[in-house]
């Protein structure tokens, strides 16, 4: 028999932004489908119309496009299993809900409780439903329907025994049936709840593997019962561990804004490259079981497997993301780097923008994210009377007096040169160093510190002088001489 074609889906609710956890879900669903030469489907889950956000579906399309996770079917491109937006599928859910009423697995409920209405069953989980309408007589139901009473349709849970489903990551999961509430399947406005729609849609869209966050694992027994009530084959489920963030006190909690940027858009804005983000989150919950960590999307497709998906919660480490990002930035062609950095250099002084072709070569090997550029070159614009102890340096056997001497020697050398190229500036530094029988670091240190006011600079003395230009460099050096001499 032919193996069934693997079909996975990414089923986001249009919330207006792409949380890193959702992006990872999309990635795993994409990688698995592509690894298995199957199909990756995009379905928009917008049954909770109250939460509708303008432009939110655009964010989803854009993210998938930016990350090259190209879907094979979806609202924008169609496919054989459409429509791919749940609100457009509204009429069909009622038929399926009625089928369950018919075969005794669901029932009409005429109770009016605002808290239970129009929620995706969330309020219910807190309050539980007292099953008042579970045993209404046929006549009562007919009467209520004829009177046009609003109703919801609820799932009739077994009251005894247990339900077990198998998860590809977490293994067999068993629950006591009496712990399952008679959840709403169809709301009074005819919209399905998420809990119902996901089952109907996954079945109708022939999804073979449901890949989603672990927060859905506790609801999955209810879905299992729905599949059985319809007599449908249950897709395999792959629940993913939660992405946590590190709190300042050392504890961890679910990754949220207080830990840092959590949306894909914000990470891009901060200057992370999409390739680095994807590479990093691929490893947040999946292990390739090898030493290597840097993988392109194509390589991830090649390697991805469900056996490598881990149960333990992953911790989002911004430092590690910086590390990945620095690697990808380094690998960019310099031309791409310059083009990509344009939007980050608008806050830099004009003369740096003009010298960006040179400064960018310094930046490319030194930044870990693009918005580091601004702080890295801030010294060009901001220069104050810094702490003179910065001139003291053990390694170069320098104290303030020696630094003063070097600066005093060097100021006229700089004053007299007409050639302000990096090459010539380096020659001047070298010649002076040779003459004095110093080590190069000794000459470089006071110059570099003197003109930047910081110990960490995006290049050596000559580069810094070049960036600042002759007039500004001399102004700063003279100011240091004046201060050191006091
Ligand atoms: N719409 C759900 C969400 O955005 C999707 C859950 C699922 O993948 O089934 O969380």
């Amino acid at each position: 028999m032919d193996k069934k074609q693997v079909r996975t889906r990414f089923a986001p609710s249009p919330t207006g932004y792409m949380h890193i956890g959702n992006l990872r879900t999309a990635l795993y669903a994409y990688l698995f489908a592509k690894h298995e030469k199957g199909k990756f489907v995009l379905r928009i889950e917008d049954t909770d119309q109250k939460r509708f956000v303008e432009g939110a579906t655009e964010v989803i399309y854009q993210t998938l496009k930016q990350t090259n996770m190209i879907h094979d079917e979806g609202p924008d491109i169609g496919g054989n299993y459409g429509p791919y937006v749940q609100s457009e599928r509204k009429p069909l859910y009622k038929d399926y809900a009625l089928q369950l009423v018919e075969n005794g697995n669901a029932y009409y409920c005429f109770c009016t409780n605002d808290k239970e209405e129009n929620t995706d069953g969330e309020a219910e989980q807190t309050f539980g439903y007292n099953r008042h309408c579970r045993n209404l007589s046929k006549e009562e139901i007919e009467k209520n329907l004829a009177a046009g009473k609003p109703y919801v349709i609820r799932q009739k849970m077994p009251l005894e025994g247990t339900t077990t489903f198998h998860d590809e990551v977490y293994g067999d999961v068993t629950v006591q049936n009496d712990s399952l509430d008679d959840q709403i399947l169809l709301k009074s406005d005819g919209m399905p709840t998420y809990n119902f729609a996901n089952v109907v849609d996954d079945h109708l869209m022939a999804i073979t593997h449901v890949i989603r966050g672990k927060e859905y694992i506790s609801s999955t027994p209810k879905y299992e019962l729905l599949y059985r009530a319809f007599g449908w084959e249950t897709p395999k489920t792959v629940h993913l561990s939660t992405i946590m963030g590190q709190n300042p006190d050392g504890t961890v909690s679910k990754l949220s804004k207080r830990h840092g940027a959590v949306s894909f858009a914000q990470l891009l804005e901060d200057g992370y490259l999409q390739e680095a983000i994807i590479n990093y989150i691929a490893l947040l919950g999946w292990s390739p079981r090898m030493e290597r960590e840097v993988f392109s999307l194509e390589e991830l497709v090649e390697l991805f497997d469900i056996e490598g998906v881990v149960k333990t919660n992953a911790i989002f480490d911004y430092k590690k993301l910086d590390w990945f990002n620095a690697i990808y930035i380094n690998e960019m062609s310099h031309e791409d780097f310059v083009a990509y950095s344009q939007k980050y250099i608008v806050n830099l002084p004009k003369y740096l923008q003009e010298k960006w072709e040179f400064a960018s070569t310094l930046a490319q090997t030194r930044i870990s994210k693009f918005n580091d550029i601004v702080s890295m070159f801030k010294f060009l614009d901001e220069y104050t009377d810094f702490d003179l102890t910065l001139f003291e340096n053990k390694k170069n056997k320098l104290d303030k007096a020696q630094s003063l001497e070097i600066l005093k020697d060097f100021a006229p050398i700089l004053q007299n040169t007409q050639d302000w190229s990096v090459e010539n500036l380096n020659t001047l530094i070298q010649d002076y160093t040779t003459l004095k029988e110093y080590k190069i670091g000794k000459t470089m240190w006071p110059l570099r510190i003197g003109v930047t006011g910081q110990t960490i600079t995006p290049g050596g003395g000559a580069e810094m002088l070049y960036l600042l230009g002759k007039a500004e460099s001399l102004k700063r050096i003279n100011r240091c001489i004046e201060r050191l001499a006091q």
Side-chain angles (χ1 to χ4, degrees), residues 9 11-13 22 25 43 45 194 198 210-212 215-216:
R9 88 301 193 271
S13 302
N22 283 342
T25 302
R43 178 172 78 222
E45 302 207 323
Y194 162 77
N198 89 87
V210 171
I211 301 177
R212 66 179 161 221
E215 63 273 24
Y216 290 97

Side-chain angles (χ1 to χ4, degrees), residues 191-211:
M191 272 293 189
T193 55
Y194 162 77
N195 287 333
F196 188 49
N198 89 87
V199 169
V200 172
D201 289 345
D202 285 340
H203 172 72
L204 294 180
M205 294 181 180
I207 300 304
T208 57
H209 294 74
V210 171
I211 301 177

